[in-house]
């Protein structure tokens, strides 16, 4: 359970131990789970559960149906969740691939580098496949020429001697614009629910000595 994506290599390791696991997608506003499947080695989250509906609008996931809250309680009034069409706009970027939904990151985490839209979760998912990486977070940091550049904060497994050059060579499989411009070896902070504390990371690393 948690508030972040489960790495495929973790579900594969569970399967090898004979442990059945499930991957899903949801949020508090939908009374939690909206999509689910038995983990199968693919990065998708399956299909919508009974009574839930979805559609992709400009790659944003829109939801409605069973479990959707009435709204947010603010200053004594209910502020509706849904837009004029009756859908809840999640701000999550998604794709329908191989008959299932694939979550590609938060639209509000996206940053622009040299005119290219960068979605950190795509780079994080790629780097998480490296056998020496325990945890990873990608953020945008200010750059005078490109606006922002991608920085990968990488937490290595104990006892490994992976270098920045190793990571850069590994990332050559990525399109050039998606390759991290900065590699920072450090612990990746997470809150009690498991979400990466990206505002904290941006505050820590968005400084003159890194750009």
């Amino acid at each position: 359970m948690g508030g972040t994506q489960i790495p495929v290599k973790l579900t594969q390791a569970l399967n090898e131990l004979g442990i059945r696991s499930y991957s899903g997608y949801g949020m508090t506003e939908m009374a939690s789970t909206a999509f689910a499947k038995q983990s199968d080695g693919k990065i998708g989250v399956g299909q919508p559960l009974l009574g839930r509906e979805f559609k992709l609008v400009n790659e944003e996931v829109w939801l409605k149906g069973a479990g959707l809250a009435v709204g947010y309680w603010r200053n004594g009034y209910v502020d509706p969740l849904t837009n004029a069409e009756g859908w809840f706009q999640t701000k999550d970027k998604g794709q329908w691939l191989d008959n299932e939904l694939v979550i590609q990151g938060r639209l509000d985490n996206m940053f622009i580098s040299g005119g290219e839209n960068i979605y950190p979760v795509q780079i994080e998912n790629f780097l998480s496949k490296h056998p020496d990486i325990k945890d990873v977070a990608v953020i945008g940091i200010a750059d005078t020429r490109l606006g922002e550049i991608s920085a990968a904060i990488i937490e290595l497994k104990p006892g490994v001697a992976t270098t920045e050059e190793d990571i850069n060579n590994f990332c050559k499989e990525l399109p050039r614009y998606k390759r991290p411009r900065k590699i920072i070896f450090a612990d990746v902070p997470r809150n009690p629910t498991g979400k990466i504390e990206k505002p904290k990371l941006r505050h820590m690393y968005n400084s003159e000595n890194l750009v």
Side-chain angles (χ1 to χ4, degrees):
M1 302 295 291
T4 187
Q5 289 185 315
I6 182 170
V8 170
K9 66 181 179 181
L10 176 55
T11 59
Q12 290 173 331
L14 291 172
N15 185 59
E16 291 171 2
L17 294 171
I19 300 172
R20 182 182 300 172
S21 63
Y22 292 83
S23 302
Y25 165 69
M27 58 201 64
T28 301
E29 289 87 347
M30 285 292 293
S32 191
T33 309
F35 285 72
K37 69 169 186 179
Q38 185 171 338
S39 300
D40 57 5
K42 297 191 296 182
I43 61 174
V45 294
Q47 299 186 5
L49 299 180
L50 184 66
R52 280 77 171 173
E53 299 179 55
F54 89 102
K55 66 178 179 178
L56 297 175
V57 180
N58 297 323
E59 299 187 311
E60 181 182 17
V61 181
W62 288 18
L63 297 173
K64 69 177 179 180
L68 181 62
V70 175
Y72 300 108
W73 183 256
R74 291 177 176 148
N75 301 319
Y77 296 93
V78 175
D79 186 6
L81 294 178
T82 54
N83 59 21
E85 299 176 38
W87 292 86
F88 173 52
Q89 298 179 229
T90 67
K91 297 184 180 179
D92 287 325
K93 176 181 168 65
Q95 179 183 16
W96 190 253
L97 184 65
D98 294 334
N99 202 35
E100 66 176 343
L101 180 66
V102 176
I103 300 298
Q104 298 180 312
R106 293 284 297 172
L107 291 169
D108 47 9
N109 278 339
M110 184 270 290
F111 59 91
I112 299 174
S113 181
E116 298 283 359
N117 293 344
I118 306 296
Y119 295 94
V121 72
Q122 296 176 350
I123 307 171
E124 292 164 353
N125 286 341
F126 177 82
L127 285 170
S128 70
K129 298 176 184 177
H130 193 290
D132 293 345
I133 292 178
K134 177 182 177 182
D135 205 357
V136 60
V138 174
I139 59 172
I141 57 177
D143 181 79
T144 54
R145 185 171 68 89
L146 297 175
E148 286 188 287
I149 58 173
S150 56
I153 295 87
I154 293 174
E155 184 175 343
L156 295 173
K157 294 178 180 178
V160 299
T162 303
T163 65
E164 182 176 339
E165 183 180 3
D166 294 331
I167 299 298
N168 286 330
N169 287 333
F170 182 76
C171 288
K172 286 182 178 179
E173 294 183 28
L174 287 171
R176 183 177 295 274
Y177 75 93
K178 290 186 179 182
R179 298 173 194 172
R181 299 292 186 113
K182 292 284 184 181
I183 304 295
I184 303 166
F185 293 111
D187 290 344
V188 176
R190 290 181 178 270
N191 66 21
T193 68
K195 289 184 179 179
I196 296 173
E197 297 184 311
K198 290 198 173 181
K200 181 177 180 179
L201 287 173
R202 285 191 288 266
H203 178 74
M204 289 171 61
Y205 295 113
N206 204 347
S207 55
E208 290 295 329
N209 63 323
L210 287 176
V211 296

